Amino acid sequence: MLRIDDLDTPRNQPGADTAILKCLESFGLHWDGQVDYQSSHQDQYQSAIAALGLNNHTYPCYCSRKQLSEYPGIYPGLCRNLAFQADQQHALRLKTPHTVIAFNDRLQGPVIENVGSQYGDFVIRRKDAIVAYQLAVVIDDHRQQVNHVVRGFDLLESTSRQLYLQQLLGYQSPDYMHIPVIVDHQGHKLSKQTGAQAVAPSQPSRVLFQLLDLLKQHPPAELRGSPVNEILQWAIEHWQPNSLYQQSSVTLD
Ligand SMILES: [Zn+2]
């Protein structure tokens, strides 16, 4: 299944989705069914927000960016008990109790967190009315009946909030596995923000081999330069995530 996260409309670049699809195809990564665009599921997001509100799990937050900058850590719940002000723009926050959330990450092992004290009341709909990532992804995974989530270690800290939202919405929780992210020698995750080069779709077989090597899968030398589908087939048959046990990152040479 392929999902395009396009809710953050001010940041969407026209044509970016087509480039992503082409890139995936060049790496031999195909998907079933139609591409799922988050933007076509606004009704679902809004009805989940309404349900959370009806059960008194949310409250409007009127804080300005400047006010929030005085609390760089956990939001101290300033607006929790304010009366509703219809004429004021506001974000929606989820009330987070001091509840322990525990799960067993398939690679990182047992994780035990307290959503209230570690993350605090977090935003589920931004002031500009855009549905926040934490809520959208929970609804998306439920809609697409996702039962295994494999993603970068940088999202491990989002998981307990997502599990809490799944509890509130009565959804089943998927299994999670957080794999290391690739970092440069300064320890920065490779991304546009840190000026990393984009993936080269022109050399998919070379990149795939390099990735398997980085992920400590020990691809055999004779696999180097093989067609993409052969490399992927080898990877499926030999995938051994345990060699990455409890690692948060791998460094690109
Ligand atoms: Zn507030």
Side-chain angles (χ1 to χ4, degrees):
M1 287 175 288
L2 179 61
R3 181 162 82 217
I4 299 279
D5 290 11
D6 61 345
L7 287 182
D8 197 351
T9 38
R11 285 175 55 195
N12 283 348
Q13 286 174 14
D17 55 341
T18 318
I20 291 167
L21 304 189
K22 276 196 184 141
C23 184
L24 287 170
E25 279 176 330
S26 71
F27 279 85
L29 301 171
H30 305 292
W31 54 93
D32 296 326
Q34 293 205 317
V35 178
D36 183 277
Y37 287 86
Q38 286 182 318
S39 55
S40 62
H41 301 288
Q42 284 292 352
D43 292 356
Q44 277 180 29
Y45 303 128
Q46 297 314 324
S47 64
I49 288 170
L52 292 169
L54 272 178
N55 291 312
N56 201 24
H57 291 302
T58 63
Y59 62 91
C61 170
Y62 303 96
C63 295
S64 64
R65 206 173 278 245
K66 187 159 173 278
Q67 276 171 295
L68 292 174
S69 69
E70 289 164 34
Y71 306 95
I74 294 163
Y75 176 72
L78 301 175
C79 299
R80 240 197 205 222
N81 301 308
L82 290 186
F84 182 66
Q85 303 162 47
D87 56 335
Q88 291 282 329
Q89 263 209 328
H90 59 266
L92 269 187
R93 285 185 186 271
L94 193 79
K95 291 178 192 168
T96 52
H98 286 247
T99 305
V100 168
I101 300 272
F103 64 99
N104 198 18
D105 188 278
R106 289 279 188 111
L107 192 56
Q108 307 300 335
V111 179
I112 301 165
E113 294 198 318
N114 183 319
V115 180
S117 62
Q118 287 177 260
Y119 302 102
D121 299 345
F122 60 92
V123 171
I124 58 162
R125 195 185 66 203
R126 293 169 10 185
K127 219 174 199 175
D128 56 8
I130 288 173
V131 179
Y133 160 76
Q134 302 291 0
L135 178 64
V137 74
V138 161
I139 296 168
D140 297 335
D141 287 345
H142 176 71
R143 174 181 69 248
Q144 296 189 298
Q145 297 178 295
V146 171
N147 51 12
H148 283 258
V149 173
V150 179
R151 59 186 181 188
F153 184 86
D154 52 330
L155 287 166
L156 182 65
E157 57 154 40
S158 286
T159 309
S160 60
R161 278 171 282 180
Q162 292 168 12
L163 287 165
Y164 181 57
L165 276 166
Q166 287 155 4
Q167 285 179 14
L168 293 182
L169 292 165
Y171 297 165
Q172 267 206 317
S173 295
D175 271 358
Y176 289 94
M177 178 191 272
H178 290 86
I179 59 171
V181 292
I182 304 174
V183 297
D184 61 21
H185 284 285
Q186 281 80 47
H188 300 128
K189 187 182 136 180
L190 296 192
S191 71
K192 259 190 241 168
Q193 280 160 338
T194 55
Q197 269 186 300
V199 166
S202 57
Q203 296 177 305
S205 122
R206 195 177 69 88
V207 174
L208 280 177
F209 188 91
Q210 193 184 12
L211 282 172
L212 287 171
D213 195 37
L214 272 171
L215 290 171
K216 301 194 173 23
Q217 300 303 299
H218 309 296
E222 61 268 25
L223 195 66
R224 200 186 285 273
S226 298
V228 157
N229 59 345
E230 281 175 31
I231 297 182
L232 288 177
Q233 195 52 43
W234 182 91
I236 291 166
E237 284 163 19
H238 297 86
W239 174 235
Q240 285 296 346
N242 292 343
S243 51
L244 295 163
Y245 181 60
Q246 290 193 336
Q247 280 195 61
S248 61
S249 63
V250 291
T251 309
L252 190 66
D253 291 323

